[in-house]
Amino acid sequence: MTMTQTLPGTSTQAEVQQKGRIRGVLGMLWRDKFALAATIFLLVVIFCAVCGPMLMGDAALSQNLRGRNAPPFSIANGWFYVLGSDSLGRPLLPRVVVAAQNTMLIAAGAVLCSSIIGALLGLVAGYASSRVGNVILRLADVIMSFPSLLLAVVVLYILAPSVGNLVIVLAITRIPVYLRTTRAEVMEIRQRMFVEAAEVMGASPARIVFRHILPMVIPTLVTIATLDFAFVMLAESSLSFLGIGIQPPQITWGLMVSQGRQYLATAWWLAFWPGLAIILTTMSLNLLSNWMRIALDPTQRWRLEIGGKSNG
Amino acid sequence: MRKLILGRVLSSFFSLAALVVMVFFLSRLTGDPAALFLPREATQEMLDNFRRLHGLNDPLIVQFGRYVWDLLHLDFGQSLRQARPAIDVVFEGFAWTFQLAAITIALVSIAAIVIGSLAAFRPGGIFDRFASVVSLIGASAPDFWVAIVAIVVFAVNFAWLPTSGTGTVWHWILPVAVLFIRPFGLILQIVRGSMIQSFGSLYVKTARAKGVGNTSIIFVHTLRNAMLPVITVIGDQAAAMLNGAVIIETIFGFPGVGKLMIDSILQRDFNVVLAAIMVTALAIFVMNLLIDIAYAILDPRVRT
Amino acid sequence: MKRSLMLLGAALLSAVHLAMPASAQNASRDVTIVLGEGVDLMEPCMSTRSNIGRVLLQNINETLTEFDVVGDKGLMPRLAESWDQQNDNTWRFHLRKNVKFSNGSDFDAEDVKHSIDRAMSKDLSCETPRYFGSTKITATVVDPSTIDITAEPKQAILPLLMSIVTIVPSDTPVEFVRDPIGTGPYKMTAWNVGQNIVLERRGDYWGDAPQVEKATYVFRTDPAVAAAMVQTGEADIAPSISVTDATNAETDQAYPNSEVFYMRIDQGKPPLQDKRIREALNLAIDRQAFVGTLVPAETTLATAMVPPTTLGFNKDIKPWPFDPEKAKALVAEAKADGIAVDSKITLIGRSNLFPNVLEVMEAIQSMLTDVGLNVDLQMYEVAEFEDIYGKPFAEDRTAQLVAAQHDNARGDPVFSMFFKYHSNGPQSGFSDPKVDQMIEEATAATGEDRAKKWSELFAYLNNDVVADVLLFNQVSFARVNPRVAFKPTIATNSQLQLSQVGFK
Amino acid sequence: MAEHLLEVRNLSVQFHTAGGTVKAVSNISWYLDRGETLAILGESGSGKSVSASAIMNLIDMPPGEITNGQILFEGRDLLTMPIGKRRMINGKRIAMIFQDPLGHLNPVYTVGWQLVETMLVHGAGRDEAERRALELLKRVGLPSPEASMKKYPHQFSGGQRQRVMIAMALAMKPDIVIADEPTTALDVTVQAEVLSLLDELQKETGMGLLLITHDLGVVAEVADRVVVMNGGEIVETGTPSEVYHNPQHPYTKKLISAAPGRGAMHEPQGRGEALLRVSGMEKAYGAFKALDGVSFDLQPGETMAVVGESGSGKSTLARCLLRLEEADSGQALWKGRDLLSMSRKELFGLRRQIQMVFQDPTQSLNPRMSVYELISEAWVIHPEILPKARWRERVDELLAQVGLLPEHARRYPHQFSGGQRQRIAIARALALEPQLIICDEAVSALDVSIQAQVIALLDKLRRELKIAFIFIAHDLPVVRDFADHVMVMKSGKVVERGTARQIFESPRQDYTRRLLAAGLDPDPEVQQRRRLEREAIIA
């Protein structure tokens, strides 16, 4: 006997929804302060990614060998230098801002590609016959055992070095994770009664997969994707050294972190700020995905509508 | 169970074969090992000589045939760089990686499960929030940051531990600790989610009605039920670790298979690359099998 | 296979044993040396590779002659006590007597002959032949302590070349070995691949017994960790730490590492065939601004492909001044003459060439852009880089500036000049018959004449051809534990003689 | 005032939810004495389980909160007792049996382990606990108790699992056993067995039994006294007989009148052209024959009930007809065409004509789709039925037809009660304008009064729209009021087939008779008689 199921309180909920979707969503966001902070931070990042290169592109590239490794929290040289300067004397604040664009393009590109392809293959593997499913799973095994560096080198030799190819390499290596997770969930969800109900109505396999199964899988995929974001942002820099990724003077957070590595002992701020940006972005995405998991689920939504008390 | 194992062995064999074929041909698209092994100023004669010695002049398909033939005789070929059997090179590295992975994953599993379970007991509580934030920072912090800061703090400033290297148990502490952080964050999240779900299960009510205490409810009744998704993730993480932990190996001077693989790829030491991939793939396959068996042990419903 | 499995088992067990961390061997006569690059072979004929040479050269395996790059002693005897030229092609070497290999066998002329034959053998891929080029070498044993070595065609610096050939016993197989036997003051007693190599002092060495009794080599790719190891006393010498970590004047010493950092100009594509543009490239770079910022303060500006300690180094050549205005003017002038100065020039660098190579490349790119050139930066990993650096060049390339390092600590420019500047040189970016001729003449010359000819070549290349953008004579930093007396030199890049290590 | 074994005084519990605070129970009082059976009767949402949860300390706080009242056990107030002490009462002095034994038994431990644990928790030695566990399993009548100890919950049938639950509750010889809907999910025959087991055990141990149920029949069968609850309040108390024959409160009256099985039976019209003609249908899962030569006819607009215990093959029949599973052999002629051999494309057209209403509306409605989306999906799939412009209007119409309001279209399934959800499922089926609806246990999960409403709704639809029904049920009284024909199944075979009147009034087969006898009648006197009959059959 679940008590909440038939409580009369449900009627007020419907009213909440009638007030308009957007307001409802904003209201739910407002009540979960963590998610709110995360959203604001992400909006700032997106703003930086879109407008950063336009606003600060030049400042980010202005070298000054005599003012190199200037420590942070000093605005003697102007507020661009508030986070300090790097080993070429370029101000870090504009660099972090400008780097948001490439970082987001690559990370979002790679994560989107891998999650979409992985989820599609996983849906097929989970819903199609077991033979097809097995072939796809073995393919995932092969990709998983194939060293990503070798893949990168192969791509570098066969194709030309470019950002697009970097995204391809990063995406391919992450596909198995999504594929396996999706398949596992599909195997479970396809047993549910409402899938059968849809079948009885004559729904096509595509409709069942995309309309009924996929929405149930998405929250899990989003959670993995947010954690992958951090991974991709760091992995990207380790492939850049092969020459297939972003090349200076273009910049990403991952590249800034890895360039700042040798200065960790003498000028910690070089790697710290971009690292912090990566950490905060990951955390924000994770908090937001937790919030979305609840907000997207009609049966859980009430948790947000009564306030952030039990955001479990 | 026997059927499961047999089926897995068979299908993994095909995966492995596909992997070998792919790696063999793709890796040979990536340049000439002779140019890398010999100095820049090498004469054409030296280059030709090198290629002749290592059979690099033959058509690719002949090289492949020879490789497969040798492989059937359990000969994985010679390492170009080290002038000894590739498989010896790989086994040496793998032994280190395996130990590192085993120790780390064991500690991570224990810590993540205990802390994740406690966090899930009161979702949204202070402990839960704290654990979540710490684990998220851990999961997204650049690992070389953590590694170098750890060396500076624990080895240089406090001089509690050796900076790097191998030899004694003390040498293991820092690499294991740094390697620990990322999977810990990830597994903790999964444990927490799974445990929250299990706490809502009806059998928890039964246990309460029976008078079972909280500790037993968490760690005896709920945990085992919540372990299935957790085990999958632990398996994935362990698999990733068996592929080597390049940054840890590089910084701590740890002679594992990760750095070996990277070096071999960059130096086009194909035989070592292939042997390393086969060994790690095999290890991952065995581990996946163990995970399936663990599934069956944990959940009797899977057995039938 | 079976053996491999046993190895695996042994390695698994080895990690189980417990012990306290081995702290620095304070009062003892043992040293630990932390190197930046692992050793994958311990093959004497590969000791020209710096990672192998630092462990092996003159410690385990010795050579007939030894070149003093640091001082002015020139070519010194080692296993050969003296040598004289028999005719144009043949030199006679008189070998040291009462020398024993570490396996107990006596050293004689047969060993020398076998060592030379082995190093030049087609059944091995030794590095040695590259120093001889197309010269054919024949060794003839005269008596156990005398050997004639003949070069065809004649080779002016044959005794110097003998400082490259390491001597192994005559029963050494013609395949790569992993347990080198030599006449040197040390023998290898342990090699745990990836972890360490242990050398121990021999009691029966022919020369003076060095102070160090036992040397353990360990490998750390990360220079910060290497530096930390010396700081904590886990190691005694770290021959190459990063400049950013070299913060302690008491322990950290700079030394020239014999590497010259330069940019090769690709004259095969516009606009780089135009001399004015090449001059502009040289004038655009504020070399001095790098020194003490991105490169260590001890760095000197390069004026030749070889370090100043090399034969025939031309002290009259002055580094290019920084004059962006003149550079701009030259570019404008070239443009006015219809040169496609807007064509893209790709600046190509190698990842991890030295710790902050990326920043240096970025700074260079920015300086070149400032004078109005269209420069893109592209970094590559080593294999791809070598592909681009060496001939044949891709036909569809854009104009290229390849930033590379060249190391010649052998004392003679012959090991550099043909490769970098001769029309047939594999890394040469241009073709100039006069340069070809000058190189050929200098190679054949001997004595004072040789030095003069090289000097002239350096001046011609720098002033008339403007063949490349020479940047820096690089320096490295070594961190040395205060208990140890060791002074790093230009030789330290390729060898690290334990006999030169003492204690305070 | 005499001290009762257990007494609940003025208990009020509320829950904090999205829509504000909800009172689950307010100010309820009742008591239980040794050797007595008290039934709390109520429908879902009536708050009948809340006091039991409060006794066992199973209310999650927050969101729950006990605002008022006392729970006196042997005179001591449980609510003010320290947690540790309460835990020692749980399972030892007061034990509980839950409704759904599959969910309430831990799936990953053996039955023996779970039994033993109860005793270990309360201080028994392991050897003794194991010996006693074996005894208990024997006592509750589990076949081969030694083997059962080592088996897992999923390896038992529903009735056996409930016996395990009972054994577990009895482990410490408690003074009080609380049974929350102990037989709801069970077949009628099993239900009777479980109830008589509880009865016997009570006589043996002299424990007090608190039975929480929605079923008047269960009350009539076992209760000494009954408490009727509605909307969180007690509306009536008394002996079952008093309450049944002389209900005071309107709610009680309504509840009693809603009890199925007493209306007029259908008299089917003459037979015409069959809509569906099934012959020799077979389906096997390995060695187990789920369907073994099933044949029958169905007329347009006819309702045929299929009854039988679990495992009789009735659900398999439905699934095979809908091609959710493939039958091994046989024919099913739908308007003269064999639907078992239809191609995918033909099947698509068939989907419009044959629909299904599932047992559990919670699971058969996609939780992430609104009611509007759920109903209109039919037209997304079959766009020829209705132009998009008319969807809105038609959804409202359908909702009205099943007794819901137009504004419900925006809501999500979880915001409805079980009965409402089943109405939505029916509306969804109707959206396709089918000629046959197969209802698989479509009402068995619902409360009595809701059951009556849904059946009335189906009956109305049949009359108005001339839809034929195949109505699968394990509960005979429900079928009685609704079916034209009844088909009784056992082990994949048709045991008996006839009009409702034939089956209910003059059953020809023993099995049918036994099924009828096992059913519980809401009238305590009738039930008394029936029990004697049943015992006679068994004997």
Side-chain angles (χ1 to χ4, degrees), chain D residues 202-222:
Chain D
Q202 184 186 28
K203 290 200 179 92
E204 271 173 44
T205 61
M207 65 190 180
L209 178 63
L210 176 65
L211 195 79
I212 298 164
T213 183
H214 71 281
D215 190 345
L216 279 165
V218 172
V219 174
E221 166 86 3
V222 293

Side-chain angles (χ1 to χ4, degrees), chain A residues 13 25 38-39 41 46 49 55 62 64 86 100 131 162 175 180-181 211 251 258 284:
Chain A
Q13 246 175 288
V25 171
T39 313
F41 180 80
I46 290 169
L55 296 176
S62 62
N64 171 17
D86 75 355
R131 188 176 302 158
S162 78
I175 284 177
R180 286 156 63 99
T181 313
R211 189 73 181 89
I251 190 75
S258 63
S284 300

